[in-house]
Amino acid sequence: MNLDTDFLWSVFLKALAKLPVNFEIAIVALVVAIPLGLLAAIVCNNKVPVASQALKVFVSFIRSTPPILLILIIYYVKKSLDMQGVIKIDPIWYAIFIFSLIEIALLTEVFRSALLSIPATQLEAAESIGMTKLQGYRRIVIPQVLGVALPVLCSSITDLVKMTSLAFALTVVDIMAIAKIEGGFSLSFMEAYLAVSLIYLIVVFVLERIFKIFERFTKSYADK
Amino acid sequence: MQYKNYSSILDNIKELLPYLSLTFQYVLLALLFGFIFALLLAVMKLCKYKVLRAIAQIYTTIMRCLPSVVLLFVVYFFLPKFSREVLLIDIDDVPKILFVVLTFALFLGGFLSEVMRSAYQAVSKDQMDAALSIGLTPLQAFIRIILPQAFYYAIPNLANTVIYLLKEGALAYTIGLIDVMGRAYQMNTLSYSVYPIPIFVALALIYWPLAIVIEQLFKILERLMNPIKEDKKTAGQKLKGFKAKYLGFLVQTPKGGAEK
């Protein structure tokens, strides 16, 4: 069995050029999801009526449906919007939208358990020295929550990067789409997907290493 | 070809439900093979030979770094080519579920070996020493003392793995498997994408309760396996309550039982 290494290398380079697309989706989704997830977690844990129940249903729904299904639903919404000519925007925005939703749901759970690990006395102490509740959260509770949640947060970021491989279903031209296109032209799908798996392997591995180092630096903070 | 109307979510759910059996098939088969494979990897990780440990570790890292859809495609395109050109066996008409099972078994091998390793290491060493001191053989000690406790520690991770498998398994439609997701996609194509939203929402309404039920079942299992006795009792009562509440139609109460 022979492997067409020249072709593999050419797909590797072409797909690598599309890596920023995947990163863009992941980073924007994270920037949206981290504050909103934190807010949702605080709302849930404080048992704000109506909002916390609604959030629980939302989180449970997103967490138990396959991401590809949510993406397909959004894809058909996009298609009908395009056909009616309501809005025509780059499909990447739809990808960002749906990955943000998924990530908000996942991070809400992460932050919720992190919030529970911070004793309530911390907030009470902050209020006793004259801080408002908002200040208490911002200066005392949230920094600790981020410290506690960091390991899980990091692994959920790598999961998100892996999940962006599904963006091709939204007609976003990312790494996977390149493999599909190139594989389709030359009918050597195996090499095309091997090239993509190599990229993911390197990217996710490097990300994990970076997070490990990062965690070592911030570990003392989480212990306190 | 008859043009079909898929505008009713309820009808779509009815149409999709029978296809769940295939979904369950690959989930269970992948779990089975993944479990066997993971056991092997976990033993390799805990053994004293450095080379074996390194191999198992590298394998796990690779599996953790790959998105499942990518591995699915690699397996789907690699396996037929490999068997045709190297083994000289044509496997073109092998059922597609085989590729799905193989892909997820490969994945689960990596995942579950980590789960097993951490669960095994969570059981304190004293347990083994104590078991040996009262005259159990190492095998007996492992089966009777270590395994039940390790299993208890592994339950939350197992639940996550099963739900992960259910969700990622939906990607099998990309290689043309007609499971519950594949059927929804097929229905959508057959109706010329006129009713995509009712079809896919119906599918989401199937996955949602399914994942919740699996999660709850594992929670009950966790309570049942809890080594602390009191908790076990309440869990048993809760299980009874659960049975009476949701599975009442399965338990046939004998007629005239009250008189006896």
Side-chain angles (χ1 to χ4, degrees):
Chain A
M1 190 163 96
N2 54 331
L3 208 65
D4 189 348
T5 40
D6 291 342
F7 177 67
L8 204 157
W9 182 241
S10 80
V11 176
F12 183 82
L13 290 179
K14 274 181 196 161
L16 205 58
K18 290 289 174 192
L19 192 58
V21 177
N22 287 55
F23 275 152
E24 189 190 334
I25 297 171
I27 289 170
V28 179
L30 270 178
V31 168
V32 174
I34 290 178
L36 286 181
L38 201 54
L39 189 72
I42 292 171
V43 167
C44 269
N45 273 12
N46 283 336
K47 300 204 167 66
V48 178
V50 185
S52 69
Q53 279 90 345
L55 275 171
K56 269 200 184 126
V57 172
F58 163 77
V59 168
S60 149
F61 177 74
I62 299 274
R63 272 164 51 97
S64 34
T65 13
I68 185 74
L69 180 55
L70 298 171
I71 287 170
L72 281 178
I73 292 175
I74 288 293
Y75 171 72
Y76 284 105
V77 170
K78 160 189 180 290
K79 215 171 161 187
S80 71
L81 286 181
D82 280 355
M83 270 198 300
Q84 289 158 9
V86 185
I87 30 169
K88 270 194 177 155
I89 46 172
D90 195 333
I92 197 169
W93 291 107
Y94 290 96
I96 287 171
F97 172 72
I98 191 65
F99 284 117
S100 304
L101 271 191
I102 295 174
E103 203 58 16
I104 288 171
L106 298 181
L107 290 186
T108 303
E109 278 299 284
V110 172
F111 287 136
R112 224 164 58 86
S113 53
L115 268 172
L116 287 177
S117 75
I118 310 291
T121 46
Q122 295 275 336
L123 191 63
E124 285 162 13
E127 280 177 333
S128 78
I129 57 163
M131 286 189 187
T132 62
K133 210 167 188 179
L134 189 70
Q135 278 177 328
Y137 265 113
R138 210 187 64 207
R139 298 193 188 162
I140 310 294
V141 178
I142 290 178
Q144 293 185 70
V145 165
L146 288 179
V148 173
L150 198 69
V152 192
L153 190 63
C154 288
S155 79
S156 95
I157 291 173
T158 50
D159 278 349
L160 179 64
V161 171
K162 278 158 68 179
M163 220 197 303
T164 55
S165 62
L166 300 177
F168 74 91
L170 272 165
T171 66
V172 175
V173 183
D174 69 332
I175 307 178
M176 271 306 266
I178 292 290
K180 265 201 156 134
I181 296 165
E182 293 294 322
F185 273 142
S186 61
L187 292 180
S188 31
F189 283 101
M190 197 186 77
E191 282 90 349
Y193 286 115
L194 273 180
V196 169
S197 51
L198 256 162
I199 292 181
Y200 270 108
L201 209 61
I202 296 167
V203 168
V204 178
F205 186 73
V206 169
L207 266 180
E208 271 193 351
R209 287 290 123 183
I210 293 172
F211 288 148
K212 273 245 170 78
I213 296 167
F214 191 52
E215 262 167 48
R216 213 175 295 150
F217 274 118
T218 49
K219 205 175 177 198
S220 53
Y221 200 46
D223 285 345
K224 273 171 199 167
Chain B
M1 175 116 200
Q2 209 191 343
Y3 182 74
K4 284 206 168 167
N5 185 345
Y6 289 122
S7 55
S8 149
I9 290 181
L10 207 63
D11 287 348
N12 289 344
I13 292 180
K14 274 184 204 147
E15 170 115 25
L16 284 170
L17 273 179
Y19 291 85
L20 259 184
S21 66
L22 199 65
T23 306
F24 285 142
Q25 266 176 45
Y26 66 66
V27 166
L28 289 177
L29 284 174
L31 267 178
L32 179 70
F33 290 117
F35 195 81
I36 296 168
F37 190 31
L39 205 59
L40 186 75
L41 284 169
V43 170
M44 277 167 81
K45 275 179 191 170
L46 292 167
C47 80
K48 53 188 173 188
Y49 301 108
K50 221 172 178 181
V51 185
L52 288 182
R53 281 209 307 259
I55 292 173
Q57 209 56 56
I58 291 169
Y59 178 83
T60 310
T61 308
I62 292 175
M63 285 303 136
R64 214 181 33 228
C65 291
L66 283 181
S68 40
V69 66
V70 177
L71 187 72
L72 185 64
F73 279 134
V74 170
V75 168
Y76 183 60
F77 291 112
F78 172 81
L79 206 61
K81 205 175 171 185
F82 178 77
S83 74
R84 195 164 51 236
E85 290 174 14
V86 179
L87 304 174
L88 302 174
I89 309 167
D90 201 12
I91 56 160
D92 282 352
D93 20 281
V94 142
K96 277 177 178 147
I97 191 169
L98 183 101
F99 299 107
V100 182
V101 170
L102 183 66
T103 306
F104 287 106
L106 287 175
F107 259 116
L108 289 191
F111 286 172
L112 289 179
S113 70
E114 275 300 292
V115 172
M116 286 175 188
R117 190 187 55 82
S118 60
Y120 176 78
Q121 285 174 343
V123 181
S124 102
K125 285 266 187 300
D126 305 344
Q127 298 278 334
M128 189 65 165
D129 295 341
L132 292 178
S133 79
I134 57 161
L136 293 181
T137 66
L139 186 70
Q140 276 178 327
F142 180 74
I143 291 173
R144 296 195 190 164
I145 310 293
I146 309 291
L147 207 58
Q149 296 184 62
F151 182 67
Y152 171 71
Y153 289 124
I155 291 172
N157 280 328
L158 271 180
N160 282 341
T161 312
V162 173
I163 291 173
Y164 162 86
L165 191 57
L166 185 73
K167 282 166 65 183
E168 297 293 295
L171 290 168
Y173 92 93
T174 50
I175 64 164
L177 183 79
I178 309 292
D179 67 331
V180 71
M181 175 81 199
R183 177 60 188 165
Y185 200 73
Q186 194 185 35
M187 277 159 68
N188 181 39
T189 318
L190 286 178
S191 61
Y192 304 100
S193 301
V194 181
Y195 313 105
I197 303 294
I199 294 172
F200 289 122
V201 168
L203 184 57
L205 290 181
I206 292 176
Y207 273 112
W208 190 8
L210 200 58
I212 291 175
V213 166
I214 293 174
E215 208 181 347
Q216 292 306 318
L217 283 180
F218 273 98
K219 272 196 184 140
I220 292 170
L221 186 67
E222 196 179 347
R223 279 195 219 109
L224 282 176
M225 293 293 294
N226 196 333
I228 303 162
K229 276 270 155 53
E230 289 91 332
D231 229 3
K232 210 171 184 173
K233 212 171 171 187
T234 50
Q237 280 163 359
K238 271 194 182 156
L239 185 66
K240 258 185 207 159
F242 178 81
K243 266 186 191 161
K245 206 168 170 188
Y246 300 107
L247 305 174
F249 60 93
L250 289 178
V251 189
Q252 287 183 350
T253 40
K255 271 177 190 166
E259 282 95 54
K260 288 173 196 171

